[in-house]
Amino acid sequence: MTIFSPSTGSEADWNAAYYRLEDYLRALRIVNKVHQSQIILRLLQLAAARHARDPAQNPTVLAMQEARATMDQWFETLLGPRERIGVVGLISLLVVDAPVKWPAAFLSDADFPEFRRAMRESDVRAGPDLQVSSMVPRPIDVTPLLDPIQRVGALGKDRPGLNVAAAVIIFTAFSVSLLWFIF
Amino acid sequence: MNADFSFLTRLAFQRRLLLACGTVALVLLAALPMARMLAAGGWTAARIVFFALFLLLFAQVVFAFLVAGIGFWVLRTGRHSLRIADLSPLEPPPMPLPATAIVMPVHNEEVERVFQGLRAMYVSLQKHAGADAFDFFILSDTDDPNHWIAEEKAWLELCKEVGGFGRIFYRKRRMQLHHKSGNIADFCRRWGASYRYMIVLDADSLMTDSVFVRLAALMERNPGVGIIQTTTYPMLGQTLFQRIEQFSAAVYRPVITAGLNFWQLMDASFWGHNAIVRLKPFMEFCALPELPEVGPLGTRILSHDTIESALMRKAGYQVWQTCDADGSYEETPPHLLASLQRDRRWCHGNLQHLWFLFERGIRTTSRFNILNGILAYANAPLWLLSILLGSLIALRSATAAAPARPGGFQPAVNSAGLYAGVILLLLTPKILGAAIFLRSAEQVRRCGGRARVILGMVLETIYSFLLGPILMLFYTRFVLASFRGIPAKWGRQIRSDDEGPRWSVWLAFHWQNTLLALAALYWVAWLNPALLPWLIPVFIGPLVALPLSKITASARLGRAAKVRGWFLTPVETAPPPDLATFGEPFTLPVQPFFLAPQYVPDYGLLQAVLDPYLNSLHVSMLRLRKEGVSLTREYLSLLANRLLSAGPLALTPAEKTTLLWDSDAMLFMHQTLWSSPAAHLHEWWQAAFRHYVETSELSVRRIATL
């Protein structure tokens, strides 16, 4: 029977590392308890070996680092070398529904041919290849009839006093006209 | 084969001339007695202005009447329609169909509803031999992080469910420049060259597979066509407001559309959705220009569709509207408030089109369409002004110290006749639409029988008469607000609402108009009660606006009406089998943790940081950060560490969004969080972590029992 017995680190620290790995596997939807335990034990042993060389490190940190490294290596054997293989691998797992269809396949050394094929065929692209082209507006071509309006507008653009005076004049003229209409 | 364009041009000219002459003739028929009536009291400035307004507004009423009349005649006789489908044979459809992108711009929409519709359309399209030609794009301008993450999740779930990887794509735009038109333009710049056509959908659009294929085939057979707009019909209405609107569209829209098609032909309007666009000319000619920096209307066009169709026509490509194909649907706003929020934006956008009335090269019919769009809102203050002036003129005549001159302006038979004539002209399109609708026994049966259909028509007519003056007052305020430079915002549309806004909301919304109507009513009653009967149709709407809005916003009453068989539509009782899968809800699996109230505000960010799968998905969709931008690296590192050490409350929304946009930061936070011993985490994260883990246990137990 394999017993986990690290030479360095406190029991509390290794328990914390254990719980963290368990939580992480649960977040990855690895539900099989036996499978979980086997993976956790393996990762803890790797972490304990590193901790023995550098006891200043926190076991939880080491355990999670080992988890990521192990996953990256495993994904690489399945999918080949890729940039950010961990990210690509997790998405592929999600897409093929691996935790549901092949619950025992995660980080397993055993061969699951259908799982392997599904992972390799999973191709998740948010968008097709770019085909960059231009779409440039043509300036609005208003007839010379409106050029005076634009010039007046430009005149008042930086002269707020002029705008206020114009507004007052227009409003007064409108009010007088309205009163004249009515009466 | 393609129809001879010169033949089309001649035909269009003849039909438009016919319509113009008919309009002028009928306007003159009313203008002469009106002029005589006004002249009898002596021409004053007020009377001149009133007469000018009368001519302008009456001409539009007449025009709408004639269009409906023509539509009725076309549908009744089946003659002289010349739809785009008549220009060339469609069967068999040209195979293979060319590459077509179906794009759906979204902005903070209800994610599950969006993907429910997408799924239905995608699944139905797969039945077609030419389905491979169609790719779907969700073009997201969503700026709410919760919606953003939900969209990514939903995209993945949808692709998994229907095998849509490599066919259904998701693009999240980093900078939301120029709203929807900018979103579409961004798509065009990235992928437009890969597709020949683009079908534009709204977030609530639904189209059947046969319409998709038909549109692509029509474009392929008619290379001179730039845009084909389908006639959309509202569906899936829950509230009474929606049900009345969809009933009205089902009954009356066919007649109007047939009439419009008769004279518009290749100069139709583009509605901006549920339409197919030829990409090459669209990209070359239809990019929206900046408006001159003059006046209060702003420089960036809000309503893009009318201008895009005008620019397409200017480039020499035709724009058609189908008036015969079923299978194009949309949802409508759930109540008047939501509808008017949308109208505020459209009003501002349409007023901006004033510039294009004077742009060189725009075709006359396009200018007419632009003017129609402007007047759809600008008419409101004109109507209000004409009512005010008419009332003032009548009051002044009635209260004049001098005895009334012979033939002076008074509510005499002539006025009554004109008044009745206007009402009849306004009602005629409805009567004609109803007549056509009632001829189809199948449609009547699907709508619950003749009695219910007629009851629905009567109720809808009463409702629209009440609504008209309400809209007049609101549109007047919108027009004035636009000219005062108050911007219209492109906010999220409220697309679904079960009980509708509270009474207090409606009160705040309507009190000004109601008070105005009460004051006017009192004033007229005090000065000359004899005028009241003439003005009651104008006043009554704003007076009952509050209860009317509240009642029609109710989904409960909408369902009750449906159960009683009121306001049923054919598509509702016999939905197209192509969209059968729409009935199955699209539900995103949600980790219960993220529904806890203290985490809801940031649940998008939390999911993307905590959940390994969602973190990977989100990171994979982001661009890799370029090397060498050290200041950015430092800033992002600072934000990431602050988020971890102090929790999400220590960051502003903008800072959280900045983090969400950086793949390195997201990966760093995820790995750091999972690697950190519990004691090293901020108490907020400790609690969040604990909660997440506990609810993961529940989810996992559920999975284990499957």
Side-chain angles (χ1 to χ4, degrees):
Chain A
M1 183 169 71
T2 309
I3 294 174
F4 177 67
S5 180
S7 56
T8 54
S10 68
E11 188 178 304
D13 283 346
W14 286 112
N15 275 340
Y18 181 97
Y19 291 134
R20 181 57 57 85
L21 285 173
E22 191 183 41
D23 293 342
Y24 188 66
L25 291 177
R26 201 182 300 129
L28 291 174
R29 300 170 207 173
I30 309 302
V31 307
N32 185 308
K33 283 292 187 189
V34 172
H35 190 53
Q36 265 186 19
S37 302
Q38 288 171 341
I39 294 171
I40 292 169
L41 195 60
R42 190 169 72 178
L43 293 174
L44 284 177
Q45 281 170 342
L46 289 169
R50 283 180 62 190
H51 194 265
R53 295 192 293 273
D54 184 4
Q57 296 261 34
N58 184 285
T60 299
V61 173
L62 289 175
M64 284 304 299
Q65 285 176 354
E66 287 303 323
R68 274 196 292 277
T70 304
M71 282 166 61
D72 286 355
Q73 278 173 13
W74 182 63
F75 287 136
E76 214 169 280
T77 61
L78 287 171
L79 304 172
R82 305 247 197 124
E83 196 167 2
R84 282 191 174 161
I85 185 63
V87 168
V88 174
L90 279 177
I91 295 173
S92 295
L93 281 183
L94 182 63
V95 166
V96 307
D97 260 341
V100 174
K101 289 181 183 165
W102 301 281
F106 182 71
L107 291 181
S108 171
D109 294 327
D111 190 26
F112 291 84
E114 275 188 29
F115 163 71
R116 191 178 286 274
R117 189 172 52 248
M119 287 288 283
R120 287 193 177 140
E121 287 172 2
S122 70
D123 177 25
V124 179
R125 283 190 307 153
D129 293 333
L130 288 178
Q131 284 264 38
V132 177
S133 48
S134 75
M135 183 170 175
V136 179
R138 295 158 193 240
I140 185 167
D141 180 13
V142 178
T143 67
L145 188 68
L146 288 189
D147 280 348
I149 295 177
Q150 286 183 281
R151 281 196 215 109
V152 167
L155 198 67
K157 193 179 166 196
D158 296 317
R159 297 181 177 82
L162 194 66
N163 287 337
V164 170
V168 167
I169 291 168
I170 291 168
F171 178 73
T172 309
F174 177 75
S175 306
V176 166
S177 309
L178 188 64
L179 290 168
W180 180 55
F181 282 172
I182 294 168
F183 299 109
Chain B
M1 277 192 290
N2 205 349
D4 179 12
F5 189 68
S6 61
F7 158 73
L8 272 178
T9 312
R10 271 198 315 277
L11 184 67
F13 176 75
Q14 288 163 1
R15 292 181 175 187
R16 289 162 196 177
L17 187 63
L18 178 71
L19 197 52
C21 292
T23 305
V24 168
L26 286 175
V27 169
L28 282 175
L29 209 59
L32 292 172
M34 176 59 85
R36 270 203 300 273
M37 249 184 344
L38 290 172
W43 283 108
T44 61
R47 289 172 187 236
I48 292 170
V49 171
F50 176 77
F51 185 62
L53 284 173
F54 171 79
L55 290 178
L56 174 64
L57 296 170
F58 189 69
Q60 293 174 67
V61 172
V62 164
F63 186 81
F65 161 77
L66 287 174
V67 166
I70 289 167
F72 173 80
W73 176 70
V74 164
L75 290 178
R76 187 79 175 78
T77 62
R79 284 192 233 167
H80 296 288
S81 60
L82 194 64
R83 307 156 302 178
I84 181 168
D86 300 324
L87 295 183
S88 50
L90 280 184
E91 296 298 335
M95 283 294 177
L97 287 170
T100 302
I102 300 172
V103 305
M104 181 182 280
V106 297
H107 178 251
N108 297 336
E109 310 289 347
E110 266 184 61
V111 176
E112 288 173 344
R113 164 62 186 88
V114 167
F115 284 85
Q116 187 176 345
L118 269 170
R119 179 184 58 191
M121 289 186 282
Y122 181 84
V123 166
S124 82
L125 195 48
Q126 299 320 297
K127 297 195 305 283
H128 261 279
D132 285 346
F134 296 90
D135 285 340
F136 284 74
F137 285 82
I138 303 124
L139 306 176
S140 174
D141 264 355
T142 291
D143 53 19
D144 171 55
N146 290 350
H147 276 83
W148 177 7
I149 302 302
E151 282 171 7
E152 289 180 342
K153 261 175 70 174
W155 168 74
L156 190 82
E157 292 300 324
L158 175 64
C159 288
K160 274 173 65 178
E161 185 181 333
V162 302
F165 289 111
R167 302 285 310 288
I168 303 175
F169 302 106
Y170 175 84
R171 188 275 283 129
K172 168 78 177 73
R173 195 161 65 132
R174 188 169 190 130
M175 301 204 44
Q176 292 92 45
L177 285 176
H178 308 317
H179 313 295
K180 185 180 165 187
S181 62
N183 197 355
I184 301 276
D186 180 79
F187 163 80
C188 291
R189 290 185 191 103
R190 288 168 188 252
W191 295 296
S194 301
Y195 299 93
R196 193 176 299 176
Y197 308 125
M198 171 177 69
I199 295 176
V200 187
L201 302 177
D202 267 355
D204 54 16
S205 295
L206 272 176
M207 284 170 65
T208 61
D209 57 314
S210 53
V211 172
F212 285 130
V213 173
R214 186 183 165 88
L215 286 176
L218 280 170
M219 292 294 264
E220 199 62 1
R221 296 263 194 235
N222 296 282
V225 173
I227 298 173
I228 300 176
Q229 173 67 57
T230 63
T231 301
T232 61
Y233 288 86
M235 68 182 292
L236 303 172
Q238 299 294 313
T239 65
L240 206 50
F241 182 86
Q242 287 172 315
R243 296 195 61 74
I244 294 172
E245 192 166 335
Q246 70 189 25
F247 176 82
S248 166
V251 174
Y252 308 128
R253 200 167 282 183
V255 152
I256 305 297
T257 313
L260 285 174
N261 183 74
F262 178 86
W263 74 267
Q264 284 183 332
L265 292 171
M266 67 288 196
D267 286 294
S269 286
F270 176 38
W271 296 2
H273 62 89
N274 294 50
I276 189 168
V277 174
R278 192 176 296 273
L279 270 165
K280 196 159 177 288
F282 183 77
M283 288 162 59
E284 194 177 340
F285 300 110
C286 300
L288 297 180
E290 291 283 316
L291 298 174
E293 282 186 25
V294 174
L297 295 174
T299 57
R300 197 59 213 168
I301 300 170
L302 284 183
S303 292
H304 54 96
D305 30 35
T306 310
I307 300 306
E308 284 163 350
S309 64
L311 293 174
M312 186 67 84
R313 282 301 287 129
K314 180 180 171 184
Y317 287 84
Q318 301 169 35
V319 178
W320 286 82
Q321 182 172 349
T322 64
C323 56
D324 53 348
D326 285 330
S328 179
Y329 310 102
E330 61 175 344
E331 283 185 68
T332 52
H335 44 68
L336 183 62
L337 175 58
S339 180
L340 285 172
Q341 283 172 337
R342 185 182 64 172
D343 275 325
R344 174 70 183 93
R345 196 176 70 244
W346 285 358
C347 172
H348 193 91
N350 284 12
L351 291 176
Q352 289 175 321
H353 298 169
L354 276 166
W355 288 107
F356 290 92
L357 287 178
F358 305 100
E359 176 165 359
R360 276 202 191 96
I362 298 286
R363 291 174 185 261
T364 308
T365 321
S366 296
R367 290 185 211 273
F368 185 80
N369 289 340
I370 290 169
L371 182 63
N372 258 340
I374 294 168
L375 288 175
Y377 295 97
N379 264 344
L382 299 179
W383 272 109
L384 186 61
L385 188 60
S386 74
I387 291 167
L388 285 173
L389 275 179
S391 308
L392 285 168
I393 292 167
L395 281 169
R396 196 167 162 226
S397 301
T399 58
R405 279 167 278 193
F409 189 92
Q410 55 194 310
V413 172
N414 279 344
S415 303
L418 272 172
Y419 191 90
V422 170
I423 299 292
L424 185 63
L425 287 175
L426 287 170
L427 276 177
T428 300
K430 288 186 186 294
I431 295 168
L432 296 177
I436 290 290
F437 191 82
L438 288 169
R439 288 188 73 231
S440 167
E442 177 59 24
Q443 287 201 107
V444 168
R445 186 189 63 77
R446 284 204 221 159
C447 293
R450 189 168 285 264
R452 286 199 177 92
V453 171
I454 293 172
L455 175 66
M457 290 171 181
V458 168
L459 290 174
E460 190 279 332
T461 303
I462 294 169
Y463 174 74
S464 65
F465 266 89
L466 291 174
L467 190 63
I470 299 171
L471 294 181
M472 177 184 70
L473 292 173
F474 275 108
Y475 290 176
T476 301
R477 282 160 60 176
F478 293 167
V479 170
L480 293 176
S482 288
F483 281 117
R484 282 170 57 204
I486 300 171
K489 292 183 194 139
W490 192 284
R492 178 186 165 206
Q493 283 196 44
I494 306 164
R495 295 189 191 276
S496 64
D497 200 353
D498 194 51
E499 293 303 323
R502 293 187 302 272
W503 281 106
S504 56
V505 171
W506 290 116
L507 184 65
F509 189 56
H510 284 300
W511 72 269
Q512 288 166 320
N513 293 343
T514 307
L515 209 62
L516 191 69
L518 270 173
L521 192 66
Y522 176 75
W523 184 55
V524 170
W526 177 58
L527 283 174
N528 187 358
L531 274 180
L532 272 179
W534 300 92
L535 294 171
I536 284 286
V538 177
F539 289 139
I540 193 165
L543 289 176
V544 303
L546 199 144
L548 187 71
S549 304
K550 179 66 179 159
I551 289 166
T552 54
S554 168
R556 183 180 54 83
L557 288 178
R559 286 189 291 270
K562 185 177 177 180
V563 162
R564 281 169 177 72
W566 295 356
F567 306 119
L568 293 176
T569 60
V571 74
E572 188 173 23
T573 52
D578 308 329
L579 296 174
T581 54
F582 181 79
E584 300 160 23
F586 183 89
T587 315
L588 283 175
V590 177
Q591 237 266 18
F593 155 74
F594 296 111
L595 299 177
Q598 64 268 42
Y599 303 118
V600 158
D602 289 306
Y603 83 82
L605 176 64
L606 293 184
Q607 283 183 100
V609 170
L610 272 175
D611 189 293
Y613 287 123
L614 284 176
N615 176 263
S616 294
L617 177 64
H618 181 71
V619 163
S620 71
M621 289 177 135
L622 298 172
R623 231 180 296 166
L624 286 172
R625 195 197 295 166
K626 287 180 200 158
E627 290 301 328
V629 190
S630 59
L631 270 177
T632 310
R633 271 204 308 276
E634 281 166 25
Y635 174 64
L636 287 164
S637 180
L638 187 73
L639 288 182
N641 284 311
R642 199 186 327 150
L643 180 70
L644 294 175
S645 61
L649 299 174
L651 272 70
T652 64
E655 287 170 337
K656 287 182 248 189
T657 304
T658 301
L659 281 175
L660 275 167
W661 271 112
D662 188 75
S663 60
D664 287 348
M666 290 303 298
L667 208 49
F668 165 78
M669 288 190 294
H670 171 73
Q671 290 173 353
T672 305
L673 207 58
W674 277 100
S675 300
S676 299
H680 295 187
L681 294 173
H682 184 266
E683 58 188 14
W684 193 93
W685 283 109
Q686 286 183 31
F689 222 120
R690 199 166 48 243
H691 206 147
Y692 171 71
V693 160
E694 282 163 10
T695 47
S696 288
E697 177 71 41
L698 292 170
S699 303
V700 153
R701 284 201 191 131
R702 233 177 278 127
I703 292 170
T705 59
L706 289 174

